[in-house]
Amino acid sequence: MELLSLLTPGPTGWGDELLIGLSMTLGLALATFPVSIMLSFLIHWARSSRRRPLRYLAQMHVSIFKSLPEILTLLIIYYQSQVVISWVADYAGLDSTLSISPFLAGLIALSLVISAYGSEVVRGALQAIGKGQVEAAQALGLSRFHCFWKVVLPQFWRHALPGLGNLWVILLKDTSLVSVIALSDLTHVAALAINTTREPFFFYLVIAAIYISLVIFSSWIQKRLERRAARGFVAGGRAHA
Amino acid sequence: MLDLWFDYKDLWLSGLKVTASLTLLAILLGFVLALPIGVARARNRGLSGVLAYGYVIFFRGMPLLVLLFLVYYGAGEFSRDLRSLGLWWFFRDAYYCGLLALVLNTAAYQAEIIRGSLNGIPSSIREANAALNLTRWTAFRRVLFPIAIARALPGLGNEFILLLKATSLLAIITIFDLMGQARFIFSETFDLRAYYVAALHYLVLVLVLEWLLRRIERRNAWAA
């Protein structure tokens, strides 16, 4: 009971701080996800491009960011961009105390990592849709934009949702890494709370429970979205109902 | 970048050794733990099924970083009890705590891979086992298990690579693996290239591992 009173909001409890940490975690994940999906498409297009340098660059992106530990990517992005920013600021004669926020560094690093995996999800989903749809759209005289927007993309979600759901869960858990560069997300707030209360087991168990409920809630949402994306399709078959 | 490697050659090599030993120990111990959990998940009946499901949800649902802190800092809170149980030597050591967290985490992922490959075995094979009058244990040991492992290999190989990358988190609890050495060298020299040298190590390790795994998979093409 004594422990539970630590979770109340107000000056003695940590409930409100944890809530702010939770919103930071969710905010970072929600901001990163759309960016990484768009980046995934760009990388997939570069990988299947006719230009060789573009193909090599995209392939390198995937190999590098799938091989590096996320935490290393994060630290490199964080420190290197500080250096680059102060260098540019010096050169342009601006205020050299400019720095990159941990939030932005986390957003960039996580987008790079998630998009490396995401490009494979995009490739798989586009392959599942098949070339026939694109050819039919071209035969109808649709522009490339309309072909993608009106024909490919609506069918894309049905095939991509399981993979994207997986990536979302990975992203949600990877946001905990930004606590290392002092963004006050859930994990960081827990560390602060432990510094004053000396209850590490309790607080880490609480935020573990929060992460687990977020993951369970996400997979529930994912199932609903999958059902919605598959509407009009006979279960298990390719035929249109 | 090469000079930074040669200047701290001993540190990099010992970091490499720690990373390699952690990865290998964690994947092997994790497999031993994952096997019964994966089988229980595939059967999905009774108390064992519920427990296995709970294990997987719990350890896959939280970030490894949180699990790591839970084991390492959480154990400190129970130091008196652990001392009286004679387990304190284990939880006092950051290496063992980190290893435990890695094993608990990877076992959950490996169990799901094993479940998938067991469930994917066509029912005709089970019927053949029944027709041959094999006992359940013999059928599992001589037929189902070898097929399941051969089918699980690509997934387990992937997990191997993810685990190698995950060991870098242990640098935060003062383990001097590759990442830990990079942090140390950076704090000594303020030379950002230390992180790039570490990145190069991981890149080479993963590329070599991927090549090896592809060769092993080719030998097991019969199971697909």
Side-chain angles (χ1 to χ4, degrees):
Chain A
M1 272 303 104
E2 229 178 286
L3 283 175
L4 283 184
S5 72
L6 287 173
L7 292 182
T8 53
T12 53
W14 288 87
D16 40 350
E17 282 85 352
L18 283 174
L19 217 56
I20 294 170
L22 174 64
S23 64
M24 190 57 99
T25 291
L26 280 177
L28 180 60
L30 287 172
T32 307
F33 201 52
V35 177
S36 24
I37 290 182
M38 280 186 268
L39 209 52
S40 304
F41 269 105
L42 291 181
I43 291 161
H44 168 73
W45 283 329
R47 265 175 104 178
S48 49
S49 153
R50 244 174 284 139
R51 291 169 219 279
R52 190 173 291 186
L54 217 54
R55 275 209 311 266
Y56 282 153
L57 274 178
Q59 187 55 48
M60 248 170 64
H61 175 103
V62 174
S63 297
I64 288 175
F65 289 106
K66 276 176 87 171
S67 312
L68 295 192
E70 289 82 346
I71 179 108
L72 189 55
T73 310
L74 182 65
L75 287 183
I76 287 179
I77 296 281
Y78 187 54
Y79 289 128
Q80 188 66 70
S81 54
Q82 306 277 36
V83 173
V84 170
I85 284 175
S86 66
W87 187 69
V88 169
D90 266 358
Y91 190 73
L94 289 167
D95 182 11
S96 58
T97 53
L98 283 171
S99 68
I100 186 172
S101 74
F103 187 91
L104 191 59
L107 196 155
I108 295 171
L110 289 174
S111 308
L112 290 174
V113 173
I114 297 294
S115 64
Y117 291 96
S119 70
E120 318 249 290
V121 174
V122 169
R123 185 181 57 176
L126 291 183
Q127 252 170 20
I129 294 170
K131 267 194 182 144
Q133 297 283 333
V134 178
E135 282 162 6
Q138 278 168 352
L140 289 171
L142 266 64
S143 69
R144 283 182 69 172
F145 171 79
H146 271 104
C147 167
F148 177 72
W149 197 252
K150 296 276 186 191
V151 178
V152 175
L153 205 56
Q155 304 185 66
F156 171 80
W157 301 113
R158 190 166 68 94
H159 299 289
L161 271 175
L164 292 180
N166 244 341
L167 284 181
W168 165 254
V169 169
I170 292 174
L171 172 64
L172 202 56
K173 293 194 286 173
D174 274 354
T175 54
S176 65
L177 298 179
V178 291
S179 66
V180 175
I181 54 171
L183 181 70
S184 47
D185 76 321
L186 210 47
T187 311
H188 192 71
V189 170
L192 294 180
I194 287 158
N195 273 339
T196 44
T197 60
R198 308 258 160 232
E199 294 284 355
F201 192 76
F202 173 70
F203 272 104
Y204 283 128
L205 209 57
V206 166
I207 61 162
I210 296 176
Y211 278 114
I212 292 167
S213 2
L214 284 179
V215 168
I216 292 174
F217 180 65
S218 302
S219 62
W220 180 72
I221 296 273
Q222 186 192 333
K223 276 211 192 80
R224 293 193 55 140
L225 285 175
E226 272 172 31
R227 215 178 309 148
R228 189 179 148 71
R231 69 196 185 280
F233 282 86
V234 180
R238 291 175 67 90
H240 201 278
Chain B
M1 235 185 273
L2 265 178
D3 53 308
L4 198 67
W5 195 85
F6 280 108
D7 286 351
Y8 295 94
K9 187 164 150 247
D10 296 342
L11 294 186
W12 289 120
L13 287 178
S14 86
L16 204 58
K17 225 180 281 170
V18 173
T19 294
S21 78
L22 273 171
T23 311
L24 286 173
L25 274 176
I27 199 91
L28 290 176
L29 293 174
F31 182 73
V32 174
L33 183 58
L35 204 53
I37 298 171
V39 172
R41 281 286 285 142
R43 273 185 77 234
N44 200 18
R45 256 175 307 184
L47 183 66
S48 67
V50 175
L51 285 178
Y53 184 60
Y55 180 92
V56 170
I57 287 273
F58 189 73
F59 287 107
R60 286 206 322 175
M62 73 172 93
L64 179 57
L65 191 65
V66 174
L67 178 59
L68 196 60
F69 289 161
L70 197 61
V71 173
Y72 185 58
Y73 296 117
E77 209 176 319
F78 304 107
S79 61
R80 194 171 302 158
D81 307 310
L82 289 169
R83 252 193 212 108
S84 65
L85 283 171
L87 287 172
W88 183 237
W89 62 271
F90 185 90
F91 287 98
R92 197 186 48 192
D93 194 328
Y95 184 90
Y96 291 130
C97 283
L99 185 60
L100 178 62
L102 285 176
V103 167
L104 290 173
N105 179 268
T106 188
Y109 284 96
Q110 289 189 45
E112 282 301 280
I113 296 167
I114 292 169
R115 175 184 79 119
S117 62
L118 272 175
N119 280 348
I121 293 176
S123 56
S124 57
I125 291 181
R126 288 169 201 276
E127 285 155 14
N129 289 338
L132 289 170
N133 228 356
L134 299 180
T135 62
R136 267 171 59 181
W137 171 240
T138 314
F140 179 77
R141 190 167 58 96
R142 304 302 293 263
V143 184
L144 298 179
F145 180 70
I147 296 176
I149 293 307
R151 281 172 157 243
L153 268 180
L156 292 176
N158 248 342
E159 176 58 22
F160 199 152
I161 290 172
L162 291 178
L163 189 65
L164 169 70
K165 291 167 30 174
T167 55
S168 62
L169 287 179
L170 270 59
I172 297 172
I173 57 164
T174 69
I175 299 286
F176 284 98
D177 66 335
L178 277 174
M179 185 72 196
Q181 299 290 6
R183 273 163 68 109
F184 174 73
I185 293 167
F186 178 63
S187 70
E188 291 270 292
T189 59
F190 290 107
D191 191 342
L192 212 51
R193 289 178 308 167
Y195 287 121
Y196 287 101
V197 176
L200 224 52
H201 279 101
Y202 283 108
L203 202 63
V204 172
L205 279 178
V206 170
L207 290 180
V208 170
L209 254 180
E210 267 177 354
W211 179 78
L212 274 175
L213 290 169
R214 259 205 303 274
R215 288 191 56 138
I216 296 172
E217 268 167 41
R218 227 179 297 148
R219 286 191 44 176
N220 281 289
W222 56 269

